[in-house]
Amino acid sequence: MAKVVVVTSGKGGVGKTTSTAALGAALAQMGESVVVVDFDVGLRNLDLILGAERRVVFDLINVVQGIAKLSQALIRDKRLENLWLLPASQTRDKDALTDDGVRKIIAELRTKFDWILCDSPAGIERGAMLAMRYADEAVIVTNPEVSSVRDSDRIIGMLDSKTVKAERGERVEKHVLITRYDSARASRGEMLSIDDILEILATPLLGIIPESQDVLRASNVGSPVTLNNAASAPARAYTDAVRRLMGESVTMTVPLERKGFMNRLLGRRAA
Amino acid sequence: MMNLLRLINGRNASAPVARERLQILLAHERGLRGQPDLLELLRAEILAVVSRHVAIDPEKVVVRMDRGKHVSTLEVDIEVPNGVQRSIAAVGA
Amino acid sequence: MNAMAQPTRQLVRMRGRSYVAFVFSPVVPIVGWLEEIDATLARSPGFFVGKPVVLDLSAVELSQTAIAHLITSLEQRNIRVLGIEGVDAGHLTMSMPPLLTGGRHCLLAQNEPKEPNEPQAKPKPTSLLLESPVRSGQSIVFAEGDVTVLGSVGSGAEIVAGGSIHIYGTLRGRAMAGIEGNASARIYCQKIEAELLAIDGYYQTAEDISATLRSRPAQAWLAGDIMRITPLNLDGRGGNNG
């Protein structure tokens, strides 16, 4: 049975696109067939993070408009043959993305893939609403920071009311993914703690992704971090998160303080 | 100390890769704001020409593009009736 | 040292009131839908005159111009729209009726010939129970009585009740109790981090809530026209030692 998972947050810049790419790649690396769909209207990002920016011909709105077939718009990843991308449009016309169009595309994607990850844009407007509308599950990306937590709470409320599942009285399974976690700042009390965030959001934790240069490096070269540096802390955290998404029970690793410069130099990797 | 840093950073330098990717991508995207995209035009016209001679099934048309810094590649794969697959490759600068 | 006494502050009253409105839900094609309205008007010409009408646009996709056109079409039929729901705020201009949220179903009083033996109306519920947290941005309005929440109320969420408000969790948003003029309504919560509290129109914002109370169990109540917020002793000791 195909699963549609929306990766959303409300707040911008918290790591939705990075996470969609990382989770998608990790699923593909485990043998699942995955399509990642960029729901932004006007600002494409997922293609860039996946390194497919030079190969985009058709996009989601072209398919909605009937200019292209789904199979013509889908771009296969060059490194992972199970990973496909449906890029976003560069048009500024938000009305071009219609509910009916999205419904049909999601229905067709369900017949072709095991996992459909929808990368939601920030905010609560049309793109974000349509990204979540047909979701079975949701990953709510949250930074340990007050406005991100509040926005995540808002989005959780919308997942429980604005989705087709909610309208039918069914539950969208929700998970919180904490990103940009800085253990040093957390231990100094400068950052909201994991417990604070979970208490406020009252939603199960999918994973904790540490702040890391590996993520930046990965997007610089256009390769999801789980592929570019699978041994890095964020990659391992994303892989654990994917295992939990697939129903496995994995002990939660809270990222430890990053070791100092000298230890890194001598080759000792942090947690 | 500086040598050590350069050694480490040199091994991991991803910023130059990012810069190059952005240069190619933005050159393409800025170009779109001026004149029409050459590769897009080629694609549309190739399909129009072929469809004048052969009835094309949209499902059987695959278009692939790879935009490079100096050379971009447009690949148009069309399955024409009688089961014979013809491949047309065009190269645009 | 503050030698001057605090100037007496005039409490500003804000009241909430609920009204019953007719909801019109246009469907496509709009022209056909307007024809239905005309048919109703032909049967009873004054039917909608003077009645508050809300336009629910969630079943249609209308541009800003189309919405303006629809409002005008209704005005031409002597139907004045007092509010609009089911659409993005961005689609409405300042000259259009305001965007409404939080509308709830209710029965409309019949003006047409009443049935002689109306069946007993079901006893109205006087208390609303919510078994999951109230999320940021959600607005719960229950004018008929108390509201109880088994969970927290998120920052940016609001509970509006005709009676008291009981929160078995942390109140981070806004709670407005006693909105129908009930000055004895109270607000109770296990942890107070509220943005705003109001009882019968008298309100206090977060900065007025004493720092010593924050993050502790508390209750808010009106003593005359002053809102008292006091610790709630959950261990059973004492009572209203305000």
Side-chain angles (χ1 to χ4, degrees), chain C residues 66-216:
Chain C
I67 296 175
H69 188 71
L70 180 58
I71 295 170
T72 316
S73 305
L74 290 171
E75 273 172 27
Q76 285 164 351
R77 292 163 171 77
N78 277 322
I79 298 169
R80 286 162 60 211
V81 179
L82 87 83
I84 300 183
E85 62 176 8
V87 76
D88 289 336
H91 280 72
L92 303 180
T93 64
M94 285 302 287
S95 53
M96 290 179 185
L99 183 66
L100 297 178
T101 55
R104 289 166 29 252
H105 292 302
C106 65
L107 295 171
L108 291 171
Q110 305 266 19
N111 281 340
E112 306 295 24
K114 278 199 174 74
E115 276 145 49
N117 291 319
E118 272 193 53
Q120 245 331 310
K122 274 203 298 229
K124 286 204 294 224
T126 53
S127 140
L128 175 67
L129 171 67
L130 298 166
E131 291 180 84
S132 56
V134 179
R135 302 285 177 180
S136 172
Q138 289 178 335
S139 178
I140 310 291
V141 180
F142 187 71
E144 291 85 359
D146 287 11
V147 174
T148 304
V149 183
L150 299 181
S152 295
V153 176
S155 157
E158 69 179 12
I159 315 270
V160 180
S164 294
I165 299 175
H166 314 256
I167 297 168
Y168 292 96
T170 307
L171 172 59
R172 295 187 178 93
R174 296 147 59 115
M176 298 161 70
I179 56 163
E180 300 269 315
N182 180 0
S184 62
R186 294 193 179 203
I187 301 171
Y188 309 86
C189 56
Q190 285 183 332
K191 253 196 190 184
I192 183 156
E193 289 171 17
E195 286 160 358
L196 181 143
L197 297 173
I199 299 176
D200 188 23
Y202 294 98
Y203 74 95
Q204 279 203 6
T205 56
E207 53 192 9
D208 299 327
I209 298 172
S210 162
T212 55
L213 284 165
R214 288 192 83 79
S215 296
R216 291 170 57 197

Side-chain angles (χ1 to χ4, degrees), chain C residues 25-28 56-61 86:
Chain C
S25 305
V27 293
V28 285
D56 177 0
L57 297 179
S58 50
V60 292
E61 300 253 345

